[in-house]
Amino acid sequence: MELLQLRYFVAAAREENVTRAAQKLHIAQPALSQSIARLEEEMGVRLFDRIGKRIRLNAAGRELLRTVEPILASLAAMPEKLQAIADEEAEIISLNVLAASHLITDLIISYRTTHPKTNFKMSRNVDSLDWDFRISSYPGGGEAKLSGRQGGRNKAEPQVGNDETKLLEEEIFLAVSIKLKYADRTEIELEEVSDEPFLTFPQNMPYHELCNRIWTETGISPRVGLESDNPQSLKELLSAGMGVAFWPQFSWGSPETEHVKLLHIARPKVSRAVTVTKNVKRRFTGSMEEFYQYMLEYFNAIAASEKRI
C-alpha cells in the first residue's frame, strides 16, 4: 500500500466518480482505476459499489476512509509543523534585563546546557520596546514605606496589558569593607553609616531609584562616593574600602570575601521584588513558553534556598 494510492482513493470517494476524480488529480482515468483496483486487491475486499458510471463507498470503504482521512490531513500539515519546530530551535529570545543580571546570566548558561540551539539577546535599556521578556524590580514588602513602583523619568514599569509575574523577593543588605568599624556586626542602622561614601548605580538605572527611596524614607542624605553600572565594579570598590553599598540578597551574587561583609539593615527593613514581564505584543512560540517555565522554576529554587548567592 502506497501513500499515493490512499490519496487517489480519498479523491475517488469524495467525487463518487472516477472520471471527475482523475480530472481533479490531473491524471488519466485508467491510471486512477488501476490504482483503486490494486488497493482493493491489497486489502482483500472491494471498497466501492459500482452503480452505472458512479461509484459509492461500501461499508469496508467507509471504514478505510474514516481511518485514512485524518492520517493524510496530519501528513499534509507536517511540513509546516516541522518548519515551526526548526524555527523555534534556531530562534533568538530577547531579554530586557533591568534587574538581577547576575541571575539571568546564570539562568541562560543553565538553560543552554539542555537547549543549545536557543540563542539570546540581552539589553539593559529601560526605554527599549524590543524584548520578549523584561526582568525588572520594585520595592518589596519590607518595613520601609516604599510604596509604588520605582519612580523617575526612566522608571521600568510594565505596560498595561503585559503579563507580569513576581520571580522572587529579596532582602536588601548593606555591604561594608572589613576595614570599617562595623565589620564585626551582623546588622546595622543606616544612621550609623550616613557619613560613609555611598557606592551606587547611575541615576538612569532602576536600582538607583530604589536606593534613593531608602535614603529618603530614613531622612538621610548620603554622600555619594562613586556611581557604577557594574556590580562587579562595586564589589571591587567595596573590597578596597572605598565606601558602603546596598546589596540585594540574590540578584548580584555574593560580594562577601575576606574584604567585604554583608550586614542586615536593622531599621528600616528593606526588600525588593524581582519580576518578569511577557511582552503581549509578541507572538509566543513553544520554545519561548518553555524558557518562561524554566525561568519560573529556576527562580523558585533560588527563593526556596533562602541563602545569599
Side-chain angles (χ1 to χ4, degrees):
M1 185 192 317
E2 298 176 359
L3 184 60
L4 191 60
Q5 283 179 294
L6 296 177
R7 287 175 174 158
Y8 286 177
F9 161 74
V10 170
R14 288 172 177 169
E15 293 297 325
E16 295 188 338
N17 184 287
V18 175
T19 301
R20 286 202 305 270
Q23 290 172 346
K24 285 203 168 185
L25 292 169
H26 303 290
I27 62 173
Q29 183 267 331
L32 178 56
S33 297
Q34 291 171 11
S35 176
I36 293 173
R38 285 197 303 270
L39 181 61
E40 289 179 323
E41 183 178 350
E42 291 179 22
M43 291 294 179
V45 295
R46 297 187 68 83
L47 301 172
F48 294 94
D49 293 330
R50 275 71 177 177
I51 306 171
K53 294 184 178 181
R54 296 183 60 197
I55 57 174
R56 182 174 296 170
L57 288 173
N58 57 26
R62 289 193 295 273
E63 179 61 28
L64 180 60
L65 183 65
R66 279 194 295 269
T67 302
V68 167
E69 278 193 312
I71 294 174
L72 292 179
S74 179
L75 289 173
M78 192 56 63
E80 184 177 351
K81 289 182 179 179
L82 294 179
Q83 185 61 53
I85 291 173
D87 290 344
E88 287 183 14
E89 286 184 340
E91 76 179 332
I92 298 175
I93 297 177
S94 297
L95 304 175
N96 188 220
V97 184
L98 305 180
S101 57
H102 169 81
L103 295 183
I104 296 301
T105 300
D106 286 351
L107 166 67
I108 291 173
I109 293 171
S110 175
Y111 190 76
R112 284 288 301 271
T113 60
T114 54
H115 300 77
K117 293 185 178 180
T118 302
N119 296 310
F120 294 88
K121 180 174 69 174
M122 293 176 62
S123 67
R124 299 182 66 185
N125 182 359
V126 295
D127 297 318
S128 173
L129 300 177
D130 181 21
W131 49 271
D132 302 312
F133 300 100
R134 166 171 277 175
I135 315 301
S136 191
S137 66
Y138 60 88
E143 293 175 4
K145 299 176 181 178
L146 304 177
S147 58
R149 300 189 185 277
Q150 296 157 344
R153 182 175 56 85
N154 290 323
K155 60 184 178 181
E157 295 185 354
Q159 298 176 5
V160 174
N162 280 342
D163 182 7
E164 183 183 33
T165 301
K166 184 166 78 171
L167 294 172
L168 57 77
E169 187 159 332
E170 57 185 353
E171 181 180 353
I172 304 299
F173 290 83
L174 188 72
V176 302
S177 167
I178 61 167
K179 299 176 183 179
L180 298 180
K181 59 184 178 181
Y182 325 104
D184 60 345
R185 308 258 296 274
T186 59
E187 66 176 19
I188 195 167
E189 295 190 9
L190 293 181
E191 289 85 351
E192 299 179 73
V193 293
S194 59
D195 292 331
E196 298 289 346
F198 185 61
L199 310 177
T200 185
F201 268 35
Q203 291 187 12
N204 65 334
M205 301 298 293
Y207 196 70
H208 182 93
E209 296 294 336
L210 176 63
C211 295
N212 278 351
R213 282 173 172 261
I214 295 172
W215 289 117
T216 299
E217 293 294 338
T218 55
I220 299 172
S221 297
R223 182 162 64 90
V224 177
L226 189 140
E227 294 182 348
S228 172
D229 64 356
N230 188 334
Q232 182 60 35
S233 296
L234 293 183
K235 184 185 296 188
E236 293 172 1
L237 293 166
L238 287 165
S239 296
M242 297 186 64
V244 300
F246 293 130
W247 200 274
Q249 181 180 6
F250 301 112
S251 295
W252 296 351
S254 175
E256 290 190 305
T257 64
E258 64 272 20
H259 304 295
V260 179
K261 185 175 181 181
L262 292 182
L263 305 180
H264 293 279
I265 299 174
R267 187 169 54 88
K269 291 289 186 183
V270 181
S271 66
R272 75 165 181 171
V274 177
T275 66
V276 57
T277 303
K278 287 183 177 180
N279 190 341
V280 296
K281 294 183 179 179
R282 296 293 180 92
R283 182 184 70 86
F284 268 74
T285 63
S287 61
M288 287 182 181
E289 187 61 32
E290 186 175 3
F291 172 71
Y292 176 71
Q293 294 301 325
Y294 188 94
M295 183 182 348
L296 297 183
E297 293 173 6
Y298 183 86
F299 275 87
N300 282 340
I302 292 173
S305 71
E306 296 184 353
K307 296 178 181 178
R308 295 193 298 275
I309 296 178

